[in-house]
């Protein structure tokens, strides 16, 4: 068997904020925001929640890939935006079964497992690993679906505001992969607790005023530069764990891997993490890597000994007795200077532009999807290659996931022969069609949970939040529970 990924399906809300408009509203430099962050992001709108986003993606996956619902033995939800602290993927299953019933199709099986995974933006990757293990053991011969869904909200006026987003990506996994074979035995893992990297404690909900949409505002607690350092440190150690399982020199991998896809909270972050993984590997290679590193330092005017000490030092987050408040800045300052220098060299083209470029441009219009960001980029890369007529079969790919707080996973993959057939079914372009561009007033209203003057886009073959329960006993209790409704296609209404 060659287990792995056989399909992708996306769903994003239609409500779009153009970052060029956002920059004008907030007197921010559009050129810098475009280069660092992206072009636009989507927002949850009226009648939408993280569960409707997830169910819409799964429903499209089932329809687009002609999946027999009875063959799905595992339906997993990866999210850090769940609003129910008891149920998870079973909510998605319930909605999807409503749509299946409306179309006189078989329902998802009663013996379908419905776990939810939580580890910040890494939850979907953990779901994929669990699904592959399921398919290799008690789920042999069946299929699995992992849906990653999130709503990324940041406070207005804060540094994270332009990196918002909302959406879901459903992934079909099978024992015989049709798109990407995943080498689970060759993967690398890392986890290390960070106290104040990026967190969502319940205490944030105390005293929140009620919103018209009935939702809580899920604004994270984070420290930007510290979080960037955590991303670098975690992805480095996951890469080290993966490279330790491969034969030969670890440095050779950076030439051998064909394409790289990483968790992307904003456009520039994957390049930062990937180049840092390369610099760490150079520093660890005493035979030739350190000589190459010294040559780069000479060209950049950087003290090589100081940079080497920065790269081979023990983790900057432990063992130094520092108070958390003393290490929230950039803990890799010389490495940052070297990265800036390398941007103007040919090495950047071969190491970054060629390996991280596939599907990257289209991702500038998705914003930060948290758990869904990495699978969305994989889907975008496959569609980009299909449109460009590229032959990918046999290529080595790397999917490098990250979840704040703090964990990372490095998954080596190989593109299957005949990948084009399944890739043609990915709905990446259609999922982004017919956006509703928001005015400043509409953006502010949605951010605060108010409809404002926004006329909601009509639902079409999708799930919506119909209403919230209000009963608080004594005969019946459903306070705060979301009730959902399937809206059939307009042509069937």
């Amino acid at each position: 068997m060659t287990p792995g990924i056989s399909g992708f399906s996306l769903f994003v809300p239609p409500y779009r904020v153009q970052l060029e408009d956002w920059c004008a509203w907030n007197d921010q430099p559009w050129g810098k925001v475009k280069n660092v962050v992206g072009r636009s992001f989507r927002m949850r709108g009226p009648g939408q929640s993280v569960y409707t986003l997830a169910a819409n993606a799964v429903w499209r996956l089932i329809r687009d890939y002609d999946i027999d619902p009875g063959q799905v033995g595992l339906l997993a939800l990866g999210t850090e935006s769940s609003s129910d602290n008891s149920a998870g993927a079973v909510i998605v299953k319930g909605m999807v079964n409503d749509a299946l019933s409306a179309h006189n199709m078989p329902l998802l099986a009663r013996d379908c497992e419905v776990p939810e995974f939580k580890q910040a933006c890494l939850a979907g990757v953990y779901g994929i690993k669990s699904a592959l293990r399921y398919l290799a053991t008690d789920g042999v011969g069946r299929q699995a679906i992992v849906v990653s869904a999130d709503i990324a909200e940041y406070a207005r006026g804060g540094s994270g505001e332009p990196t918002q987003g909302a959406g879901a990506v459903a992934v079909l996994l099978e024992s015989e992969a049709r798109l990407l074979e995943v080498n689970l035995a060759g993967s690398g893992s890392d986890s290390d607790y960070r106290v104040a990297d990026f967190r969502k404690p319940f205490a944030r909900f105390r005293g929140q005023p009620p919103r018209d949409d009935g939702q809580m505002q899920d604004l994270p607690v984070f420290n930007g530069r510290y979080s960037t350092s955590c991303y670098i440190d975690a992805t480095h150690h996951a890469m080290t764990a993966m490279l330790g399982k491969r034969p030969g020199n670890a440095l050779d991998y950076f030439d051998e891997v064909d394409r790289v896809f990483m968790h992307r909270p904003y456009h520039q972050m994957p390049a930062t993490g990937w180049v840092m993984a390369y610099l760490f590997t150079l520093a660890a290679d005493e035979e030739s890597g350190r000589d190459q590193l010294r040559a780069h330092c000479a060209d950049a005017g950087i003290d090589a000994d100081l940079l080497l000490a920065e790269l081979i030092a023990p983790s900057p987050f432990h063992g130094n007795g520092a108070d958390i408040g003393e290490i929230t800045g950039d803990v890799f300052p010389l490495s940052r200077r070297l990265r800036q220098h390398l941007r103007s060299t040919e090495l950047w083209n071969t190491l970054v532009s060629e390996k991280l470029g596939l599907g990257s441009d289209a991702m500038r219009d998705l914003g930060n999807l948290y758990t869904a960001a990495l699978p969305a980029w994989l889907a975008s890369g496959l569609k980009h290659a299909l449109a460009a007529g590229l032959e990918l079969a046999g290529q080595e790919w790397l999917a490098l996931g990250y979840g704040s707080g703090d964990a990372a996973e490095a998954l080596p993959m190989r593109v299957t022969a005949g990948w084009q057939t399944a890739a043609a079914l990915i709905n990446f372009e259609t999922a982004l069609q017919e956006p509703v561009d928001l005015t400043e007033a509409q953006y502010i209203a949605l951010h605060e949970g108010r409809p404002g003057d926004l006329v909601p886009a009509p639902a079409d073959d999708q799930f919506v939040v119909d209403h919230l329960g209000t009963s608080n006993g004594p005969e019946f209790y459903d306070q705060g529970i979301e009730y959902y409704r399937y809206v059939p296609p307009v042509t069937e209404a």
Side-chain angles (χ1 to χ4, degrees):
M1 294 188 299
T2 52
I5 296 171
S6 290
F8 292 94
S9 184
L10 288 76
F11 182 85
V12 296
Y15 311 105
R16 181 174 70 179
V17 173
Q18 297 274 28
L19 282 173
E20 185 172 9
D21 294 338
W22 179 88
C23 287
W25 303 336
N26 295 279
D27 193 27
Q28 295 294 316
W30 163 232
K32 179 179 179 180
V33 170
K34 178 174 64 174
N35 291 333
V36 175
V37 180
R39 288 187 294 257
S40 65
F41 63 82
R42 300 298 178 102
M43 295 187 71
R44 166 188 55 190
Q48 295 179 328
S49 73
V50 69
Y51 302 109
T52 65
L53 299 180
N56 284 323
V58 173
W59 173 232
R60 278 150 182 73
L61 185 79
I62 290 174
R63 295 292 295 272
D64 292 346
Y65 284 84
D66 195 23
I67 296 170
D68 177 359
Q71 282 294 104
V72 179
L74 184 143
L75 171 62
L77 170 65
T79 185
E80 59 173 277
S81 306
S82 55
S83 58
D84 191 300
N85 213 28
S86 175
V90 72
I91 299 174
V92 177
K93 180 184 179 184
M95 276 186 272
V96 172
N97 274 343
D98 285 345
L100 290 167
S101 178
H103 289 267
N104 297 314
M105 296 172 64
L107 304 185
L108 290 165
R110 284 296 298 262
D111 66 347
C112 175
E113 299 177 25
V114 286
E116 178 179 324
F117 292 84
K118 180 177 74 175
Q119 176 46 51
C121 301
L122 194 63
V125 175
Y126 279 157
I128 287 172
K129 292 187 72 173
S130 178
L132 292 171
R133 290 164 177 157
Y134 164 78
L135 293 172
T137 53
D138 53 315
V140 171
R142 299 190 71 174
Q143 295 169 308
I145 295 174
V146 177
V147 58
S148 300
D150 267 308
I151 297 165
E153 295 181 306
Y154 290 86
R156 289 178 53 227
S159 62
E161 186 180 1
T163 67
Q164 298 180 98
V169 178
V171 181
L172 172 65
L173 296 112
E174 297 178 319
S175 298
E176 293 290 342
R178 289 183 268 167
L179 286 172
L180 296 164
E181 301 168 4
V182 181
N183 178 11
L184 206 57
S187 64
S189 302
D190 178 66
S191 62
D192 201 13
Y193 177 52
R194 313 292 194 218
V195 177
D197 173 7
F198 179 105
R199 302 289 298 279
K200 290 185 172 182
F202 280 9
R204 297 164 302 133
F205 299 142
R206 295 175 187 159
Q208 279 197 14
R211 293 160 51 108
D212 291 352
D213 62 6
Q215 303 282 340
M216 302 298 289
Q217 192 157 43
D218 201 21
L219 305 181
V221 176
F222 72 102
N223 295 278
R225 288 191 175 183
Y226 178 69
S227 292
T228 297
S229 297
C230 290
Y231 178 108
I232 290 170
D233 189 57
T235 51
H236 153 50
H237 282 91
M239 281 287 297
T240 299
M242 183 195 75
L243 293 174
K245 297 179 179 180
R246 297 176 63 90
N249 189 305
L251 262 180
D252 293 340
Y253 180 76
F254 292 86
D255 292 323
E256 294 167 357
V257 67
D258 295 291
R259 306 287 182 176
V260 177
F261 302 82
M262 301 177 67
H263 171 60
R264 47 186 304 150
Y266 53 89
H267 177 68
Q268 200 173 90
M269 190 71 248
T272 297
W274 177 243
V275 173
M276 285 299 299
Y278 173 69
L279 296 182
F280 281 120
T281 308
L282 285 177
D285 188 328
E286 298 184 15
E287 292 186 8
S288 64
R290 291 188 180 182
D291 289 338
Q292 296 178 49
L293 190 63
R294 290 183 182 278
H296 292 316
C297 287
D299 292 340
I302 295 172
D303 187 311
D305 290 332
L306 291 179
L307 175 62
L308 187 61
E310 180 177 289
L311 291 169
I312 66 174
S315 172
F317 308 103
H318 298 287
N320 56 9
D323 180 79
I324 187 67
E326 298 177 18
I327 55 174
T328 55
D330 186 354
V331 298
F332 304 107
L334 294 177
S335 300
R336 176 169 50 83
R337 283 182 54 193
L338 183 55
R339 292 198 312 272
Q340 291 170 342
H341 164 74
L342 292 176
R343 284 183 173 275
S344 61
T345 69
E346 180 58 31
L347 175 64
W348 190 272
N349 290 329
T350 57
L351 182 67
V352 178
S353 301
E354 294 179 7
K355 297 187 184 298
L356 277 70
L358 194 65
S360 178
D361 185 68
M363 292 297 294
R364 292 173 181 259
D365 289 312
L366 279 181
N368 188 359
L369 298 185
Y370 285 167
T371 58
L374 178 55
W377 191 4
L378 288 166
S380 179
L382 288 162
K383 289 295 283 188
H384 179 180
L386 188 67
L390 303 179
E391 180 47 76
L392 305 178
Q395 282 194 1
E396 271 202 74
W397 284 18
L398 170 67
L400 188 49
Y402 171 74
S404 303
D406 185 58
E409 291 286 331
L411 298 181
M413 300 178 172
R414 186 179 299 275
V415 183
T416 66
W419 61 275
Q420 295 93 335
T421 302
L425 301 176
I426 299 173
N427 69 336
F428 192 96
E429 299 91 348
T430 56
L432 274 68
Q433 288 179 351
E434 300 182 4
V436 177
D437 287 323
L438 301 177
T439 66
E440 181 179 12
Q442 290 169 337
Y443 162 63
I444 293 172
L446 278 188
H447 196 275
E448 295 175 353
R450 299 181 288 106
D453 66 357
L454 179 69
V455 177
D460 181 9
D461 192 24
Q462 61 186 261
F463 308 95
V464 297
V465 179
D466 186 75
H467 66 280
L468 293 179
T470 58
S471 298
N472 197 27
E475 301 299 328
F476 179 69
Y477 298 86
D478 70 348
Q479 187 175 29
I481 293 176
E482 291 181 348
Y483 287 82
Y484 308 101
R485 176 167 50 90
Y486 170 65
V487 181
V490 174
T491 55
E492 299 178 16

